[in-house]
Amino acid sequence: MARMRAKKHLPERMARCTERWFEDPKANKGKWREVCGFPSDCEVFLEVGCGKGKFCTEMAPRFPNALYIALERDPSVCLLAIEKAHRAEIPNLFFIQADANFLEEYFEEDELNRIYLNFSDPWTRQNKPKRRLTYRTFLEQYKKLMKKGGSVLFKTDNDELFDFSVEEFKECGFELSEYTRDLHNSEWDKDNVRTEFEQKFADQGINIKRVVATY
Ligand code: SAH
C-alpha cells in the first residue's frame, strides 16, 4: 500500500484519544486484561495491521465481553483507526502503534485467544517470503502468544499468498478449518465483516480467500 502522508497535528489528535492507546504499551505485557479493566478470564483478540479500523470497530461490538486490541505500524493510518473507535465510543477496543515483528515485547505467552490477519501483508511483489506475516517465524510467534486452542483468522485477495500461508500453517502444526477461496459466496459470509481492502477487492471482482488456523 502506498504510504500515507504524515498527518498534520498527529500528536494533538492522538492526545484527544488517550483512553484508546498507551504511551508505553510494552508495560502492559502480560496484564492487558487488568490494565484495560477486563476480567482475568476474558478472551483477548489481536488484529495485526488494522489499517483505518473499519474491521475492528465493527468486530469489537460483536464481542462485547472480549478485549480487542488492534495493531498498526503506520502512525497516520493508526491515528485514523483510533479516531474512528473514539468517535464510536467502543469500550472494548484499544490500539498499539507498532510493528508486528516485535509482538513478543507486547504480549506474554498464552495472553491471546485469537489473531486476525486481514490483507495485512507486506506484499509478495517484493517476493520476500520471510517478511510475510504468515511466514513460519511469525506463526511460531503467534503459537507462543496464543493460548492452546487459539486461532489465527486469515483473509487475503492474493492466491499465491493464500497457498503459501496454508502450507506454512500446516507445516507449523495448525489445524485448518473454514477454508474457502470465495468467502463472499460461502456459508461464512453472513458472519463476515468486510475490511476496507476487502471491499475494494470485491468491487474489482476478486475473490476473497479465508482460512481459520487453530493451534
Ligand atoms: N487490514 C486492513 C488494511 C490492509 S493494508 C484492511 O484489510 O483494509 C495492510 C496494513 O497492514 C497496512 O496498514 C500496513 O501498515 C499494516 N502492516 C503491514 N505489515 C505490518 C507489520 N509488520 N506490523 C504492523 N502493521 C503492518
Side-chain angles (χ1 to χ4, degrees):
M1 165 160 104
R3 203 154 265 204
M4 183 172 285
R5 194 148 15 113
K7 283 267 164 296
K8 266 195 185 163
H9 309 299
L10 195 140
E12 292 92 320
R13 286 169 65 176
M14 288 290 278
R16 268 180 235 134
C17 316
T18 45
E19 61 278 18
R20 293 281 147 215
W21 59 277
F22 300 87
E23 204 75 61
D24 179 18
K26 291 179 188 169
N28 295 357
K29 178 172 170 169
K31 43 186 180 187
W32 280 92
R33 292 173 177 87
E34 185 190 331
V35 170
C36 296
F38 281 69
S40 58
D41 60 348
C42 86
E43 289 199 297
V44 182
F45 299 168
L46 172 71
E47 183 182 344
V48 175
C50 70
K52 297 177 191 167
K54 178 179 184 291
F55 185 78
C56 58
T57 51
E58 289 180 42
M59 286 295 279
R62 290 190 181 198
F63 298 93
N65 297 324
L67 169 58
Y68 197 119
I69 302 165
L71 178 132
E72 169 56 55
R73 76 173 162 202
D74 183 309
S76 297
V77 176
C78 194
L79 170 68
L80 296 178
I82 290 173
E83 287 181 334
K84 193 173 282 168
H86 186 67
R87 278 195 302 274
E89 297 183 14
I90 301 169
N92 59 331
L93 175 55
F94 299 87
F95 293 85
I96 306 176
Q97 191 255 300
D99 195 301
N101 281 290
F102 309 108
L103 282 183
E104 283 170 58
E105 296 180 13
Y106 299 95
F107 298 99
E108 193 55 77
E109 266 177 54
D110 295 345
E111 193 163 20
L112 303 172
N113 299 90
R114 265 187 209 181
I115 296 177
Y116 290 99
L117 295 177
N118 296 320
F119 309 87
S120 51
D121 197 69
W123 279 125
T124 40
R125 64 166 179 253
Q126 292 166 320
N127 212 14
K128 288 185 180 152
K130 289 185 182 179
R131 289 179 52 187
R132 296 174 184 163
L133 296 174
T134 46
Y135 184 68
R136 57 196 65 191
T137 51
F138 278 101
L139 299 189
E140 290 302 331
Q141 193 179 214
Y142 305 151
K143 272 159 67 170
K144 209 161 133 188
L145 303 182
M146 280 195 313
K147 226 178 133 127
K148 189 94 185 114
S151 301
V152 179
L153 297 91
F154 175 66
K155 293 199 271 193
T156 182
D157 59 300
N158 187 297
D159 284 292
E160 187 199 321
L161 175 64
F162 189 62
D163 294 337
F164 168 85
S165 303
V166 163
E167 289 312 310
E168 290 294 288
F169 280 129
K170 284 184 190 160
E171 200 63 42
C172 293
F174 284 82
E175 284 221 1
L176 303 184
S177 61
E178 302 187 26
Y179 174 104
T180 173
R181 301 190 79 97
D182 188 2
L183 176 60
H184 297 170
N185 290 304
S186 76
E187 61 186 285
W188 300 291
D189 188 48
K190 60 177 184 352
D191 296 322
N192 181 48
V193 169
R194 294 188 184 197
T195 76
E196 277 113 0
F197 272 53
E198 181 169 358
Q199 191 55 54
K200 272 187 217 162
F201 290 127
D203 291 344
Q204 294 167 24
I206 298 169
N207 287 359
I208 304 305
K209 276 61 78 177
R210 201 282 306 268
V211 72
V212 177
T214 304
Y215 185 70

